[in-house]
Amino acid sequence: MVVLGPARERREARSARWARLVPYLLIAPVQLLLLLVLVFPSIAAAGMAFFRSSFGIDATWVGLDNFRYVFDDYRFWGALRNTVVFVNVVVYLEIFLGLAIAVLLATQFRLQRLWISIIIAPYAVSAVIAVLMWKFILEPDTGFVNYLLGLLGMERILWTVIPWHAFAVVVLLEVWLNTPFTFLILYAAVMGVSQELYEAARIDGARGFQLFRFITLPSVMPAILVALMFRYIFAFRTFEVVWIMTQGGPLGSTDLLSIYLFRNGFRYYDFGVAAATALVMVVVTAILASYYLWTLYRTMVRDAR
Amino acid sequence: MKKRIYTLDRREFLKLGGTAALLAATGGLPLRVFAQGGRTFVVVSHAVHQTVATTGGGGDIVAPWLAEQGIASVDWRTAGIPQVHETLFREASLNQTNLDVGYILNTHLFPRIATLFDPLDPYLAENPIEDFGDFFPGMIDSLTIDGQLYGVPVRHSTSGLHWNQAYFEERGIPGPPETMEQVAEYARQLTFTRSDGQPVYGFVIPGSGQMHANTTDIARAWNGDFITTSYDVVCAEPPMVKALTMLRDLFVEGVLPASLIAIANTDLDTWMQTGRAAMCVGGMGRNRIYNDATASQFPGQIETMAIPVAEELVGQFEVAPIKTEYWSMVIPKASRQKDLSWDFIQELSTKRAHLAMALNGNGPTRASTYDEPEFNSRLPYAEAEKKALAVARVPLPAFDRSAEAADVITEHVQAAILGAMTPQRAMDRLALRLEGLLPG
C-alpha cells in the first residue's frame, strides 16, 4: 500500500478539483455568450410583455393588458388562423415532397449527383432574392407563368387580387425554398436503411409500395419527426417570404403572426404588444415542439425494445 | 536554426483585447473620429436629403458650412423611411447620443414622440432663421405641439397628375383632363395594346405600402378625407365613397392594372418610363425621373400638373386640395452638441440654401423659392406645385396610432377596390375601426 504524504495528497486533491472544473471553464465562454445574446434578451422581452412600452414614454406596468389587447384584436385571430393553416400545409407538403424525392433518388439512377444538386439549389438562394425573382415571374400582367398559362388557355394566377391565390403563392414559395432542407434530412435517413431489411421483406413476398410502407417508412420515422419539428418551428416564424411578396395582403389573406408582431413592434412601436405576441408564439411553438419530441421519444423507446 | 514563433504575452493580449473591446463597444467611433480630424457631425435621414443638400445643379450647401465649423464631413446615416424613424427614435430615447440632427416625416411627429426632441423656440429666439414667416404656415402649425415648435420643415412632396403627352396625341385626346371625371374618361381611352404588343394602362396609382395616402389623392378631387385634421372620421361620407367607386370601376374595367396592390412608387417609375402607364398620380418631383433621358423611353414627354377637382367642386377650388407630406429637421434631447445642431438647421433653412436644394430636386418648404426665376425656369411643374401647395393638406393627422390607422385604412380600401365589399360598406366598417384608434 502506497502512503501519500499530506503535501502530495493536497496536490492531488487540487489537481482533481481542477480536472473537474476544466470542462466547465472550457464551455463557460459559450454559455456566457448564450446568456448575453439569448437568455437575458429573452427574459427582458418576456418581461416587456407586461409593460406599456414605446418611444417617448416610460415603461409602465400594465399586467395582462397587452395579452388582452392581442386576444381582442381581430387581426391577431386572422393572423393566427392563417399561420396555423400555412404551417400545416407547408410542413406536410415539404415532408411529402422531401420523402418522395429521397425515396426516388435512393433507387440510384443516372446523374444522381446532378439531380441532388438541382434539388438542393433553392436552399443556396437567399430568400429575399428568391422572392423578388418569383415576384417577377408571377407578375399578374407580364409574368412568365401567366404568359404560359395564357398559352394553355388557362386562368391567370392573380395573387394580387384573389386572396387564396396569394396564399397559395406564398405556400409554394416557402415549400420551394425549404424542401431541400427536409430532403437532406430524409435522404440521409433513407440511405441509412439496411438493405438486409429489404431483402428479408422481399423473401417474405413484399413488393413495391409494401416495401416503402413496412420497411422504409418505419425506419425513417425518427428522421421525419426531427424534420417535422424543425420545420414546424421555422415555418411558424416565416416572415421575409410573405412580407416581401404580399406584405400580408390582399385583404389580410397572408397575414401571419410574424407579420402581426413586426407591425406592432416596428411600425406601431408598441413593444409591449409585440412582446406579448412573441410570447404567445413561443408558447404555441413550444407546445408543438413538445408534442413532436414526445412522439419522437416514444418511437425511439419502442424501437429500442 | 530554430524558427522563432511570435507569441503574445499577457500584457500584449490585454492591450489588444482592450482595444478591440473599445472599438466593438463604440461601433468603431474612435477610428471614425480620428478619420474625421477629431470632430464628427451625425445626421439621420433618407438618402434623398443628403442628395439634395450636396449634389446637383444647386451645388453642395453643406461643404462651406463644414469648412466654417472645421468638421471633416457629415456622417449621413441614411436608410428607408421606416428605418430612419426607428433609428431616430431609438437614439433619441437614450440618455446620450452622438446623433446631432434627425429628419422626421410629418406623420411621425405627434405629442408622445415630440417629448424626445428639443423645443426649438429658444434656439429660434437666440439665433433666428432668416425670414421664418416665409415657411408654409400649415407646416409650421403642425410642427407646433402645445405651443412649442419641434421641427423646421425642409422638404415636401406634393402629389400631382403625370401624363404621357405622346399617348395623348396617339389616342387623339386634345389636352390634359380638367376634372376628375375626365381623368377617368381619358384613362379608359388610354388603356390599349401597343403595336409592339405591350399593354398600356390608362391610369395607375401606387397600391403597395402607402395605399391610404394614394387613395386620399383621388378623394381630394371631391375634397374627401379619411380623418380630418380635427380628428373627425369622415371616410364613410360621399367624397371618399365616390373616389373609391371610381377606382373600383376602373379596376373592374381593367383600366387599373390587376397588380395594383403590389405596385410600389419605384415600380411606378418604371411603368411611366417604359410606357406601361399613361397617367399616374404621385409626388410632383418624380417628373424628373419620368423624363430622365438615360432611363425613360419618353424623355421630355411626361407632363406634370395639379390634380383636377371633380365637376361638382369646379369653381370652389382651382385645383384639388391634394395630399402633401413633408420632412422636418429636429434636435434629439439626448444630443451632445446642440448649438452645432441648430447651426446646421439654420444653415439649411436660409433662402439661399432652399433655392440650392430646390435646384438639386428638393420640394421647397419656403414660399419665396417659388418666386425665384432660376427655380421656375428649371422646374416645368413649379407653377402647378405652387397652386397645389396653396390648398394641399396632409393625408392623415399625426396621432399616436396613426401608423396603425394607415394599415387599417389600406385593408378596407383594398376590400373596396378588389370587390370584397361595396365601397360604402367598406368605409362604414372602416369608420367603426378608426373611431377606436383616435386619441381621446
Side-chain angles (χ1 to χ4, degrees), chain A residues 52 54-57 69 74-75 139-142 156 158-161 247 249-251 263 266-269, chain B residues 82 85-86 89-90 93 112 115-116 201 251 257-259 261-262 276 401 403-404 407 411 414-415 418 420 433:
Chain A
R52 179 168 184 244
S54 186
F55 293 123
I57 52 168
Y69 174 87
Y74 73 100
R75 284 174 298 170
E139 215 270 343
D141 297 307
T142 55
R156 286 188 297 165
L158 294 174
W159 58 272
T160 52
V161 181
Q247 296 199 354
L251 310 175
R263 283 212 172 99
F266 298 99
R267 269 178 64 80
Y268 314 152
Y269 305 125
Chain B
H85 291 101
E86 204 246 319
F89 299 160
R90 191 163 30 79
S93 301
R112 173 162 59 80
T115 60
L116 299 173
Y201 290 91
F251 186 76
S259 54
I261 69 155
R276 280 183 74 187
R401 299 176 75 180
E404 202 174 340
D407 280 353
E411 193 184 312
Q414 280 185 3
L418 301 183
R433 302 253 188 251

Side-chain angles (χ1 to χ4, degrees), chain B residues 3-16:
Chain B
K3 194 177 174 184
R4 186 167 179 267
I5 299 168
Y6 186 79
T7 51
L8 283 176
D9 64 21
R10 193 176 56 186
R11 204 176 289 272
E12 283 169 324
F13 177 77
L14 285 174
K15 269 190 213 165
L16 277 174

